[in-house]
Amino acid sequence: MPTIDLNNGVQIPQLGFGVYQVPPEETAETVATALEVGYRHIDTAEMYRNEKGVGEAIARSGIDRGEIFVTSKLNNGFHRRDDALRAFDQTLADLGTDYLDLFLIHWPLPGIDVDYVETWKAMEEIYAGGRCKAIGVSNFNAHHLRKLFSETQVRPAVNQIEVHPYLAQDELRAFDAEHEIVTEAWSPIAQGKVLDDPAITGIAERLERTPAQVVLRWHVQRGDVVFPKSSSRQRMEENFALFDFELTTSDMAALTGLDRGERTGPDPDTFNYIP
């Protein structure tokens, strides 16, 4: 499994398994299957309400904790400093671990009465405490990041944003790279919307691969971290089989050329949901 070096030297597996929208009661079994398939990077969040299931699957897998990279994200309701610190403690308790590999601010929430700079300073405290190997953000645009650069000390290691062929995000990805921030791609196949696109199905047929494999390989070759989700073992295995083929330069350009600025999720500049 290829890894990418974060800006503090921590290595993150480029392919992970996401548990967004996996029901809490199904999470342990689903993650256990993913670990059996070979995934060693699990991406969860406080807002998903399934951290306990992730922790249960890891505990019963028999795999050494140090071999599994675990990411979680701060719930939107806990942006104040003290709330963020308590929420991190709860995440560790729910996951049944004494450290996290990566912890992210889930959304910048521009309309609430807590500045995300305060939240990031709490993240810096968490990082300094040694119980989190790296900290980062999710759904931050360049202007959000510039504000962090000017008012805080630790640069985010990761920016997890929506990326897929219909939302290529080349400008934001370039900004991340310029500032040594790794881009992670959520909704990597646009919730399935890109899989019937003729440009993608044509490449898939030529390579004798699935459309999902083609799109995920596009992400990998672009250098992003990606974590597809599936409850089907067959689909998990297909999504894992990305490293024995390559897309050509023209294939890559064809997928990137599908960009239409189309989101499947909320706009970070307007999203203020508190669960």
Side-chain angles (χ1 to χ4, degrees), residues 69-87:
F69 192 101
V70 182
T71 298
S72 194
K73 311 175 197 73
L74 181 69
N75 196 311
N76 288 355
F78 303 137
H79 271 219
R80 296 189 186 281
R81 173 194 174 272
D82 291 350
D83 292 339
L85 299 181
R86 283 192 294 267

Side-chain angles (χ1 to χ4, degrees), residues 18-272:
V19 297
Y20 174 58
Q21 292 184 332
V22 176
E25 66 274 12
E26 298 176 12
T27 302
E29 182 177 352
T30 300
V31 173
T33 301
L35 292 171
E36 289 173 5
V37 168
Y39 292 88
R40 292 296 182 269
H41 173 187
I42 308 298
D43 182 277
T44 184
E46 293 173 1
M47 213 181 318
Y48 303 167
R49 299 184 301 109
N50 55 21
E51 290 172 311
K52 289 183 179 179
V54 171
E56 181 183 334
I58 292 171
R60 77 185 198 199
S61 71
I63 301 168
D64 184 85
R65 171 67 181 88
E67 296 181 19
I68 303 174
F69 192 101
V70 182
T71 298
S72 194
K73 311 175 197 73
L74 181 69
N75 196 311
N76 288 355
F78 303 137
H79 271 219
R80 296 189 186 281
R81 173 194 174 272
D82 291 350
D83 292 339
L85 299 181
R86 283 192 294 267
F88 177 74
D89 289 342
Q90 189 61 54
T91 278
L92 293 188
D94 288 345
L95 286 166
T97 184
D98 57 4
Y99 74 95
L100 205 58
D101 296 279
L102 179 64
F103 195 46
L104 308 178
I105 297 178
H106 206 152
W107 290 90
L109 305 177
I112 69 170
D113 62 353
V114 184
D115 192 323
Y116 57 82
V117 169
E118 175 182 338
T119 315
W120 184 251
K121 288 179 178 178
M123 301 287 281
E124 290 180 322
E125 289 186 55
I126 290 167
Y127 180 57
R131 294 185 298 157
C132 189
K133 292 186 176 182
I135 53 174
V137 295
S138 182
N139 302 298
F140 274 47
N141 287 324
H143 68 91
H144 299 123
L145 292 166
R146 288 191 186 97
K147 186 172 183 178
L148 291 186
F149 298 163
S150 67
E151 299 184 36
T152 63
Q153 301 299 313
V154 179
R155 184 152 298 188
V158 158
N159 187 17
Q160 185 179 122
I161 57 175
E162 181 178 355
V163 184
H164 46 75
Y166 289 169
L167 187 71
Q169 295 267 40
D170 281 347
E171 185 175 343
L172 182 51
R173 291 176 59 259
F175 181 90
D176 287 347
E178 178 185 353
H179 295 90
E180 299 183 318
I181 298 171
V182 170
T183 297
E184 295 187 331
W186 66 260
S187 193
I189 59 174
Q191 297 182 1
K193 293 178 181 178
V194 302
L195 299 183
D196 294 328
D197 193 289
I200 294 171
T201 57
I203 294 169
E205 289 171 6
R206 191 186 81 240
L207 296 176
E208 298 183 338
R209 297 284 176 162
T210 68
Q213 286 174 319
V214 168
V215 176
L216 294 173
R217 181 66 201 184
W218 172 78
H219 285 284
V220 166
Q221 287 184 217
R222 278 158 56 95
D224 295 346
V225 174
V226 65
F227 36 90
K229 173 189 78 76
S230 177
S231 57
S232 158
R233 185 184 185 105
Q234 178 182 347
R235 196 68 55 82
M236 290 181 196
E237 291 172 345
E238 289 176 356
N239 292 343
F240 196 75
L242 304 179
F243 304 103
D244 59 349
F245 75 102
E246 290 188 2
L247 302 180
T248 66
T249 301
S250 60
D251 291 339
M252 293 292 293
L255 266 70
T256 304
L258 297 174
D259 184 24
R260 54 178 77 163
E262 182 178 297
R263 294 184 181 275
T264 66
D267 183 340
D269 285 332
T270 59
F271 185 66
N272 292 298

